[in-house]
Amino acid sequence: MNPTLVILLVACSVAASCALLGSFLVLRKMALLGDAISHAVLPGIVLAFLFTGSRAALPMVIGAGVLGVVTVLLVEMFNRSRRLREDASIGVVFPALFSLGVILISRYASQVDLDLDCVLYGEIAYAPWDVLTFAGREVGPKALWVTGGVLLFNLALVGTLWKELQLSTFDAGLAATLGFSPVALHYLLMSAVSVTVVGSFESVGAILVVALLVVPPATAWLLTERLEHMVGLAILLGIVSALGGYAFARWWDASIAGAMAMVAGLLFFAALLLAPGHGLLARLLTLRRMGGRLSGQLLLLHLQKGGAVVPAALLERRFGWSRRRLEKVLAPLRSNRLVEVDGDGLHLTESGAKVLESTGRAQLAHKL
Amino acid sequence: MDLSFGLSYTARNVLIGATLLGALGGLMGSFALLRRQSLLGDALAHAALPGVCLGFLLTGSKAPLPLFAGALVAGLLGALLILTTVRWSRLTEDAAIGIVLSVFFGCGIVLLTHIQKLPGGNQSGLDKYLFGQAATLVVEDLVVMAVLGGIVALAVLAFYKELKLLAFDPGFGASLGLPMKRLEVLLTLLLVVVVVVGLQTVGVVLIVATLITPAAAARQWTDRLGSMVLLAAAIGALAGVAGSLASAVVPRLPTGPVIVLVSSCVLLTSLLFAPRRGLLQAFLRERAVGARIRRENLLKDLYLQGERSGSWTEAISWTHLMGVRGQGSRELDHTARALADEGLVERTDDSLRLTPDGLCAAESMVRKHRLWEVYLTRRLELPSDHVHRDAEAMEHALTDRAVEALDALLDFPATDPHGRAIPRRRAA
């Protein structure tokens, strides 16, 4: 198989798996638990290595899965003891487990064929060359089988439990009363995250898998209001990041996985700035529009109270506005013929008075 | 003075660096922990990586200062992005931290791998920032660490009161007219400095543990910020000493992870054994309360049986008592033995009998129970068939003084809502 195609397929299936599960992590405010798991599975992987003496996928997945669940259990145990808060629980558990893994690797370096740098950022470029043999025949790159298998597993899981996941994510209380166990779902999701992390480990490493778990879903959440759209968009964004990252890494001769995280980050910051509705720019514009409308209403009320003609200078002093600000507030009022300028003063027009009358002072005050 | 402590040059540098870092981490980690920003340090460490790489790319030197400067700028930028994202978008803090952490780190890896492929880049040694290589610390690094650390410590000392307010009650601080936003920036800046100082020693991934783990351990021993900060610094320094010595003695033992494991062990010990907050203490307290409740219940059971048979001087059989609450013979024996030691019951092989003192104590329990039942039915107007369970709990909590006040409040009732006599307090 064409090596480039293998790399792209592996990258895309990792990205899709991560985006699928990551959407639920982000919505459940558990992004950092995913981060913790991605570090804490390391000793599980190393132990699987030491016991089996090989890079066989199944023991590694099992070892990592066990450690993932252990992480979640430990974090929750510390939480429940009420001696540590959740952030601190996470912050003490995963470094300890990761340290254990690093020490195991250093001590048994001769038996463990794991490069420490690869643990952090993987080496997807090797994916095409590690070929799986089955019944004496080569059946294609191992990474493709592993990541493809993980993707199918995740699709099956989320597809089967869609309704349950959706409900327990948005309304855990209702889910519990309807008889779905939020705890069971929580652990199922965390196990799936562990499996995904270990499946992605060799390709993108412990930290960049976090980028794929968190960044595309967070980007998607800024862009849509519906869960199914968010998940779909997250997968799409993940794949775009994977492809874009590959192209960039090839061009600049750098780590593919790192570039994937970088592209995902660029997409995120673009969405953070420009997303309609939830983007910073949109929010800023809304705030300004609301501020402008508010100022207009203030001005109208003031003119009504002040009587016939109110000098502009008085208004400026009273509101602490500059001349430019006053002009800006006035512009829409004048073009709608609610206010007229009379020399140095302002007064309400008949229609302006009518508008005030019809909206009603109480309503206006309420709006203010 | 001989400063080598009988160690090699490298081991001595590692020892000094790790101790310094441990103390600094504990100091700043205490504030991060109390402000529930434990993982901010993690994000800042990851965010610093591209800064280190850019510092190298721009200056072409591995001197500590430009790399520190780059890390500082990148770390601050990361912190700013987290703040902006949380403040202005719908994303929550965990997502913002995860995003900054992984994206910055990804950029750092891109730069790092790019540098490694540059001609001569292989020798840049920047990858020591990933896992930390304490062994690469040279005196120049130590000087930079000491100077920056001294600045951080002085800043904390100078703004101690303000930072304390920030940690516990920023709203109150703002109402006093203190510039809380600026103090927050200062605290974040100090945190970034410590993180950057630690990068070379313990690496990007494990920095968070040098901040949080000693602080979390110290928190178990004290409720005062001053002692917590000092204790956290001490624990951090201790872990630094232990980690650097262990890695000097044992071959192929990386310093950073050992430091983390040592402080994790201190944390576990603290969680279990600290006085007052310790889990062991809590467990023992709970067990003591349970034992007292069982003793009081047994006294009451003996009293009630005597009440039924009309005589409190009769011995009551073991089997009967086991049947009342369905307890095992060992548990019952344990409780009975404790009561016998207090001189409240006489025990024989197959029965128990109240002594006069025991009868007094039992009457007091029954009195509390029945007076509470009266209170619930008369004053709170609960139906009389719903009050027993409340009284079962309350009888173990009411003090003698409270029960006399209750008696007076209810105008000294003679019977409980079920018509049974309320034992009167005897003239002692």
Side-chain angles (χ1 to χ4, degrees):
Chain A
M1 207 188 270
N2 180 344
T4 306
L5 186 63
V6 172
I7 293 175
L8 289 180
L9 282 177
V10 168
C12 288
S13 51
V14 168
S17 285
C18 289
L20 195 59
L21 296 180
S23 300
F24 293 100
L25 288 185
V26 168
L27 288 174
R28 287 162 169 252
K29 304 186 173 63
M30 298 196 309
L32 291 173
L33 213 48
D35 179 35
I37 289 177
S38 75
H39 288 76
V41 294
L42 183 62
I45 293 177
V46 180
L47 286 175
F49 252 110
L50 287 175
F51 277 122
T52 63
S54 78
R55 271 175 178 255
L58 197 62
M60 269 173 56
V61 169
I62 293 172
V66 169
L67 258 292
V69 173
V70 166
T71 310
V72 178
L73 281 174
L74 278 175
V75 168
E76 260 164 38
M77 197 184 79
F78 283 136
N79 271 348
R80 212 161 322 138
S81 79
R82 292 193 296 170
R83 300 303 190 274
L84 295 177
R85 296 210 183 89
E86 186 172 17
D87 60 320
S89 307
I90 293 178
V92 299
V93 168
F94 85 80
L97 290 171
F98 190 78
S99 297
L100 208 60
V102 173
I103 290 179
L104 284 175
I105 293 182
S106 318
R107 294 290 294 163
Y108 302 99
S110 49
Q111 285 121 293
V112 182
D113 182 22
L114 246 184
D115 184 4
L116 267 180
D117 288 356
C118 275
V119 167
L120 288 191
Y121 55 92
E123 201 32 282
I124 201 169
Y126 297 154
W129 317 118
D130 189 3
V131 176
L132 193 70
T133 47
F134 182 72
R137 285 200 3 234
E138 296 196 342
V139 289
K142 194 180 103 185
L144 198 53
W145 283 99
V146 172
T147 53
V150 169
L151 177 60
L152 286 182
F153 167 77
N154 285 332
L155 281 173
L157 182 81
V158 174
T160 323
L161 294 176
W162 178 264
K163 200 172 49 181
E164 287 80 357
L165 281 171
Q166 184 173 27
L167 189 59
S168 73
T169 299
F170 290 109
D171 194 340
L174 180 60
T177 47
L178 288 180
F180 309 136
S181 161
V183 179
L185 274 172
H186 176 67
Y187 279 98
L188 201 62
L189 191 63
M190 288 304 138
S191 312
V193 170
S194 310
V195 169
T196 306
V197 164
V198 68
S200 323
F201 214 82
E202 283 186 84
S203 308
V204 296
I207 297 176
L208 299 178
V209 74
V210 181
L212 295 177
L213 271 173
V214 179
V215 184
T219 314
W221 197 27
L222 293 175
L223 295 168
T224 171
E225 304 294 331
R226 294 195 60 82
L227 181 62
E228 49 266 48
H229 296 173
M230 175 178 160
V231 172
L233 196 59
I235 292 176
L236 189 71
L237 287 163
I239 290 175
V240 169
S241 312
L243 299 180
Y246 179 80
F248 179 84
R250 266 298 156 89
W251 170 66
W252 214 52
D253 197 12
S255 155
I256 297 171
M260 283 162 62
M262 199 179 75
V263 174
L266 284 179
L267 292 173
F268 170 76
F269 291 119
L272 184 65
L273 276 180
L274 304 174
H278 292 289
L280 297 191
L281 213 60
R283 286 211 164 182
L284 200 69
L285 288 178
T286 313
L287 272 182
R288 286 193 56 166
R289 212 174 43 235
M290 279 169 62
R293 201 182 298 162
L294 198 70
S295 307
Q297 286 170 352
L298 259 177
L299 193 62
L300 285 183
L301 273 177
H302 210 82
L303 291 178
Q304 186 191 37
K305 231 166 116 187
V309 177
V310 182
L314 183 70
L315 286 170
E316 280 165 26
R317 223 178 24 250
R318 194 150 289 174
F319 291 127
W321 289 348
S322 63
R323 169 58 54 104
R324 263 189 58 207
R325 172 93 194 266
L326 184 64
E327 301 277 347
K328 232 181 203 166
V329 174
L330 267 178
L333 299 177
R334 284 177 69 183
S335 64
N336 286 332
R337 302 201 174 285
L338 302 178
V339 174
E340 268 174 8
V341 178
D342 194 2
D344 261 349
L346 308 170
H347 65 85
L348 276 179
T349 61
E350 252 172 53
S351 62
K354 237 186 234 157
V355 164
L356 268 179
E357 211 58 43
S358 65
T359 351
R361 293 192 66 154
Q363 218 174 337
L364 256 179
H366 179 71
K367 274 184 187 163
L368 298 182
Chain B
M1 196 169 78
D2 179 24
L3 274 173
S4 70
F5 310 112
L7 294 165
S8 69
Y9 171 79
T10 312
R12 187 199 61 183
N13 284 353
V14 173
L15 180 68
I16 296 174
T19 312
L20 210 60
L21 172 66
L24 276 178
L27 174 73
M28 289 315 297
S30 301
F31 290 99
L33 183 88
L34 291 173
R35 301 197 64 224
R36 307 184 192 196
Q37 290 186 326
S38 300
L39 293 163
L40 186 63
D42 196 29
L44 297 181
H46 287 73
L49 186 65
V52 171
C53 298
L54 279 179
F56 174 77
L57 272 180
L58 291 180
T59 63
S61 105
K62 275 187 299 166
L65 228 43
L67 302 193
F68 269 133
L72 211 61
V73 171
L76 282 178
L77 190 65
L80 186 73
L81 271 172
I82 292 175
L83 284 179
T84 315
T85 309
V86 174
R87 171 83 180 73
W88 290 103
S89 85
R90 72 197 305 191
L91 292 170
T92 46
E93 192 166 24
D94 61 310
I97 287 180
I99 289 165
V100 166
L101 179 156
S102 58
V103 169
F104 274 62
F105 186 79
C107 297
I109 291 296
V110 165
L111 290 168
L112 198 64
T113 46
H114 182 72
I115 290 171
Q116 275 168 350
K117 284 166 185 163
L118 290 177
N122 237 346
Q123 277 82 45
S124 72
L126 292 180
D127 48 352
K128 70 184 172 201
Y129 289 99
L130 293 179
F131 287 97
Q133 270 175 14
T136 61
L137 285 173
V138 294
V139 172
E140 200 187 355
D141 295 319
L142 293 182
V143 170
V144 174
M145 279 174 87
V147 170
L148 287 177
I151 294 174
V152 169
L154 279 180
V156 169
L157 211 58
F159 292 99
Y160 181 71
K161 230 186 290 174
E162 287 81 358
L163 293 178
K164 191 177 187 176
L165 263 176
L166 187 65
F168 291 111
D169 199 343
F172 179 58
S175 75
L176 290 180
L178 289 170
M180 298 317 273
K181 278 270 169 272
R182 253 178 279 169
L183 282 169
E184 212 176 322
V185 172
L186 173 75
L187 193 66
T188 312
L189 183 73
L190 295 179
L191 197 63
V192 174
V193 171
V194 173
V195 162
V196 170
V197 163
L199 278 185
Q200 194 178 352
T201 314
V202 296
V204 162
V205 184
L206 297 179
I207 277 282
V208 63
T210 62
L211 293 171
I212 297 311
T213 312
R219 175 69 188 88
Q220 309 308 318
W221 297 89
T222 172
D223 286 335
R224 303 201 61 82
L225 179 65
S227 28
M228 176 178 164
V229 167
L230 291 179
L231 193 58
I235 293 172
L238 178 85
V241 171
S244 49
L245 289 183
S247 67
V249 174
V250 185
R252 283 180 292 127
L253 202 58
T255 318
V258 179
I259 294 177
V260 173
L261 285 189
V262 171
S263 52
S264 300
C265 288
V266 176
L267 171 64
L268 268 186
T269 316
S270 310
L271 281 171
L272 288 177
F273 301 115
R276 290 196 302 122
R277 275 175 74 99
L279 294 173
L280 186 70
Q281 276 274 322
F283 172 74
L284 289 179
R285 251 196 321 265
E286 216 163 278
R287 228 181 50 168
V289 171
R292 181 170 67 80
I293 288 177
R294 276 195 298 278
R295 284 200 306 276
E296 291 175 350
N297 281 343
L298 182 56
L299 282 177
K300 218 176 50 177
D301 293 345
L302 289 167
Y303 179 92
L304 293 178
Q305 181 57 30
E307 189 177 52
R308 246 169 268 145
S309 67
S311 154
W312 285 295
T313 51
E314 259 170 53
I316 293 154
S317 82
W318 218 234
T319 36
H320 172 80
L321 288 169
M322 274 162 66
V324 175
R325 287 172 197 273
Q327 4 182 25
S329 64
R330 262 190 59 196
E331 199 185 327
L332 187 61
D333 187 49
H334 193 81
T335 312
R337 197 171 299 208
L339 285 177
D341 288 347
E342 288 179 66
L344 299 178
V345 298
E346 284 164 17
R347 57 197 286 273
T348 64
D349 280 347
D350 59 352
S351 69
L352 281 181
R353 183 171 44 194
L354 286 169
T355 64
D357 280 350
L359 183 59
C360 245
E363 274 178 342
S364 151
M365 290 308 298
V366 173
R367 185 170 142 77
K368 284 174 185 174
H369 182 104
R370 292 184 178 167
L371 276 174
W372 190 252
E373 285 189 339
V374 174
Y375 176 74
L376 288 181
T377 44
R378 280 206 208 151
R379 293 295 170 120
L380 302 187
E381 299 180 352
L382 292 180
S384 61
D385 51 347
H386 277 64
V387 294
H388 176 71
R389 196 176 296 177
D390 279 312
E392 275 295 297
M394 206 58 190
E395 67 192 12
H396 303 291
L398 282 174
T399 59
D400 286 338
R401 226 169 71 192
V403 92
E404 294 322 317
L406 193 63
D407 200 11
L409 177 79
L410 297 168
D411 204 15
F412 309 104
T415 59
D416 75 0
H418 312 291
R420 289 180 299 192
I422 295 175
R424 299 255 63 95
R425 212 164 80 130
R426 303 169 182 219

